[in-house]
């Protein structure tokens, strides 16, 4: 084979691989855009304008997906005190609750599409879990191990730059929820939820009695 022929062959191989790489990236980009509404997520969490879908593809590729029927625990009972999974709700509704000293379930939150779910006791403090997560309707999630998530974010400057923004959003909602338990009675909490999230409230099958409705909140 002459030098010219060899050069031509190598040149063709290079562009074939380049085209394959471009095609692969295009397919991954399209697949990721179908999995999540990235622009909506940016708006909800007020993420930086420089953050692009390509930046979060590594998270999507590292995460797993799982579907649940209504009434299923997000985390199996046997794994509650050891699971360090972080969930992202793609579709569905999840109820977070605790069990009080009387054995009653006390709902601490209802989480829907584009919400992040994690048990801070286990993931951040290595303490026994106090929360249960149960699906209210058929639900599909992404999930990823907390330590893997931390490694990915730490190695991506754009993701790292938005870490505090996301945490601020989650903490703000958590403190607002705690404040509502201190300042509002169950009926007021229900009416507040109905006012702020009418579309979500309509998806929750509350029992007919108002007292039972408010116990769900």
């Amino acid at each position: 084979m002459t030098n010219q022929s060899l050069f031509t062959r190598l040149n063709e191989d290079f562009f074939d691989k380049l085209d394959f790489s471009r095609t692969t990236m295009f397919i991954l980009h399209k697949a990721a855009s179908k999995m999540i509404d990235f622009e909506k997520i940016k708006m909800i969490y007020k993420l930086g304008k420089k953050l692009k879908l390509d930046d979060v593809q590594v998270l999507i590729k590292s995460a797993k997906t799982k579907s649940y029927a209504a009434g299923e625990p997000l985390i199996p009972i046997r794994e509650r005190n050891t699971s360090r999974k972080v969930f992202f709700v793609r579709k569905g509704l999840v109820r977070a609750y605790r069990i009080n000293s009387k054995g009653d379930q006390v709902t601490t939150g209802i989480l829907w599409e584009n919400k992040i779910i994690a048990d801070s006791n286990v993931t951040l403090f290595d303490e026994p879990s106090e929360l249960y997560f149960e699906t209210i309707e058929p639900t599909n999630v992404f999930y990823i191990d907390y330590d893997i998530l931390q490694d990915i974010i730490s190695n991506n400057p754009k993701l790292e730059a938005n870490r505090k923004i996301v945490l601020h959003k989650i903490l703000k909602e958590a403190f607002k929820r705690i404040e509502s338990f201190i300042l509002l009675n169950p009926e007021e909490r229900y009416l507040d939820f109905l006012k702020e999230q009418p579309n979500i409230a309509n998806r929750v099958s509350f029992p007919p009695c108002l007292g039972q409705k408010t116990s769900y909140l």
Side-chain angles (χ1 to χ4, degrees), residues 200-213:
I200 302 301
N202 290 336
R203 291 164 59 185
V204 180
S205 299
F206 291 118
C209 170
L210 182 60
Q212 288 176 302
K213 283 183 182 179

Side-chain angles (χ1 to χ4, degrees), residues 145-159:
D145 182 82
Y146 176 76
D147 296 316
I148 294 174
L149 175 65
Q150 291 292 88
D151 287 341
I152 292 172
I153 292 175
S154 298
N155 289 299
N156 185 306
K158 288 185 181 179
L159 292 176

Side-chain angles (χ1 to χ4, degrees), residues 56-111:
V56 302
Q57 280 184 3
V58 63
L59 286 176
I60 296 173
K61 287 167 63 178
S62 299
K64 298 179 181 179
T65 62
K66 186 171 183 179
S67 295
Y68 299 82
E72 282 194 76
L74 211 60
I75 302 172
I77 300 298
R78 64 182 180 276
E79 297 178 14
R80 281 185 59 246
N81 292 324
T82 58
S83 175
R84 294 169 64 81
K85 293 186 179 75
V86 178
F87 298 85
F88 176 85
V89 182
R90 294 177 62 193
K91 180 69 177 175
L93 281 176
V94 176
R95 178 172 72 107
Y97 67 92
R98 298 170 183 260
I99 297 179
N100 64 19
S101 58
K102 298 178 181 179
D104 299 324
Q105 294 183 8
V106 180
T107 299
T108 59
I110 294 176
L111 304 122

Side-chain angles (χ1 to χ4, degrees), residues 14-164:
F14 171 78
F15 282 104
D16 283 345
K17 290 177 180 178
L18 182 62
D19 288 341
F20 175 76
S21 177
R22 286 174 175 171
T23 302
T24 302
M25 289 304 297
F26 175 77
I27 292 171
L28 287 173
H29 188 279
K30 294 295 287 184
S33 64
K34 289 181 180 179
M35 289 179 179
I36 59 172
D37 187 338
F38 182 63
E39 292 305 317
K40 187 172 183 178
I41 293 171
K42 286 184 69 174
M43 181 179 68
I44 292 171
Y45 290 96
K46 298 180 180 179
L47 302 177
K49 293 181 179 179
K50 293 182 179 180
L51 189 68
K52 305 298 182 184
L53 180 58
D54 290 343
D55 298 312
V56 302
Q57 280 184 3
V58 63
L59 286 176
I60 296 173
K61 287 167 63 178
S62 299
K64 298 179 181 179
T65 62
K66 186 171 183 179
S67 295
Y68 299 82
E72 282 194 76
L74 211 60
I75 302 172
I77 300 298
R78 64 182 180 276
E79 297 178 14
R80 281 185 59 246
N81 292 324
T82 58
S83 175
R84 294 169 64 81
K85 293 186 179 75
V86 178
F87 298 85
F88 176 85
V89 182
R90 294 177 62 193
K91 180 69 177 175
L93 281 176
V94 176
R95 178 172 72 107
Y97 67 92
R98 298 170 183 260
I99 297 179
N100 64 19
S101 58
K102 298 178 181 179
D104 299 324
Q105 294 183 8
V106 180
T107 299
T108 59
I110 294 176
L111 304 122
W112 52 91
E113 286 83 5
N114 299 314
K115 293 288 187 179
I116 296 169
I117 301 173
D119 190 324
S120 58
N121 270 24
V122 180
T123 56
L124 299 181
F125 307 116
D126 291 320
E127 295 179 356
S129 174
E130 296 181 356
L131 283 174
Y132 296 82
F133 299 101
E134 181 182 74
T135 57
I136 298 174
E137 63 183 31
T139 298
N140 182 269
V141 301
F142 282 126
Y143 69 91
I144 187 171
D145 182 82
Y146 176 76
D147 296 316
I148 294 174
L149 175 65
Q150 291 292 88
D151 287 341
I152 292 172
I153 292 175
S154 298
N155 289 299
N156 185 306
K158 288 185 181 179
L159 292 176
E160 179 65 45
N162 284 275
R163 183 204 298 262
K164 289 183 179 179

